[in-house]
Amino acid sequence: MTAASSATGRPTRLPRSARRKQLLAAAQDVFVAQGYHAAAMDDIAERAGVSKPVLYQHFPGKLELYLALLDTHCDAFAERIRSAMSATTDNAERVRGAMRAYFDFVSHESEAFRLVFESDLRNESAVRARVDRMERLSVEAVTETIMSDTGVNRARAEMLAAGLCGAAQAAARFWLAGGRAVSQEEAEQLITTLSWRGIGGFPLHHEH
């Protein structure tokens, strides 16, 4: 990726939000290719086609840049789960939507997935906090739906939601690491069927 240039050959001055997006994309490329510890701000600036001072105007250091990337991806993923829960009142489709969110994340956004789940910085407390927050928001979205539909209390709904999300995440990661031995569609269907046969056993609130 290179910076946009004007007809004079000089770099075009981008709006701050556009520049930030450009820098984050460049940083993601470098972090995924080299890992956090081996990546340098020089590499990221070069990848973005900007000077180091421009990079430092937006991010005071490498960790802040990495955390900004995590925030972007973690928030977007949690929103996918919320959208899957609110897109339909059909609970089987909600389960399918949740599974699809996990499989899409590891398949179509594998670079983002590696940043979140396979980082060499996972033991850093600020990184761990963001991953934990993403997982908590995902579980909370499913919890609210389970409580609303089944009438079980929050503690029990949270256990069910954590199990559902955990199964989805583990299965999607296993599928990717195993070289996608089955198609994504079939993998989603297998885990959806497994999960639905479990969660579907809890009666709807109005059926009590």
Side-chain angles (χ1 to χ4, degrees):
M1 181 184 298
T2 58
S5 299
S6 66
T8 63
R10 295 179 179 178
T12 301
R13 186 177 181 84
L14 295 176
R16 186 171 182 83
S17 60
R19 178 68 76 193
R20 179 182 172 87
K21 184 176 181 180
Q22 176 201 26
L23 296 175
L24 287 173
Q28 178 166 304
D29 289 344
V30 173
F31 285 137
V32 169
Q34 301 182 20
Y36 175 83
H37 293 294
M41 292 293 269
D42 284 323
D43 300 327
I44 296 168
E46 181 179 354
R47 179 71 176 174
V50 302
S51 65
K52 277 182 69 176
V54 168
L55 181 57
Y56 280 111
Q57 285 174 11
H58 292 264
F59 301 99
K62 186 168 70 167
L63 180 59
E64 288 78 10
L65 182 50
Y66 193 87
L67 294 178
L69 264 175
L70 283 188
D71 283 335
T72 298
H73 292 308
C74 288
D75 289 347
F77 179 77
E79 181 55 36
R80 281 189 177 194
I81 298 297
R82 285 192 290 264
S83 295
M85 295 301 102
S86 63
T88 178
T89 57
D90 183 325
N91 285 327
E93 286 302 314
R94 283 170 167 161
V95 172
R96 188 186 307 278
M99 297 303 149
R100 184 176 300 117
Y102 280 96
F103 276 90
D104 279 349
F105 189 48
V106 304
S107 178
H108 303 310
E109 298 180 46
S110 58
E111 289 192 351
F113 158 74
R114 291 186 174 94
L115 280 173
V116 174
F117 288 112
E118 297 183 350
S119 168
D120 55 352
L121 202 64
R122 282 292 300 274
N123 292 330
E124 166 67 39
S125 61
V127 172
R128 182 70 250 169
R130 281 158 172 81
V131 176
D132 287 347
R133 177 174 175 271
M134 183 194 83
E135 293 175 342
R136 186 178 67 253
L137 289 174
S138 300
V139 168
E140 285 177 359
V142 179
T143 295
E144 294 300 327
T145 300
I146 292 174
M147 288 177 63
S148 173
D149 285 349
T150 68
V152 300
N153 66 22
R154 178 169 292 277
R156 290 174 174 80
E158 284 177 342
M159 285 296 298
L160 293 169
L164 187 68
C165 292
Q169 182 189 133
R173 293 176 69 178
F174 180 84
W175 172 76
L176 183 66
R180 312 183 194 210
V182 300
S183 70
Q184 180 178 338
E185 182 180 2
E186 184 180 359
E188 289 174 8
Q189 183 59 51
L190 286 168
I191 305 306
T192 295
T193 301
L194 175 67
S195 300
W196 177 243
R197 285 180 178 174
I199 199 72
F202 287 84
L204 296 176
H205 185 60
H206 63 74
E207 294 176 349
H208 287 197

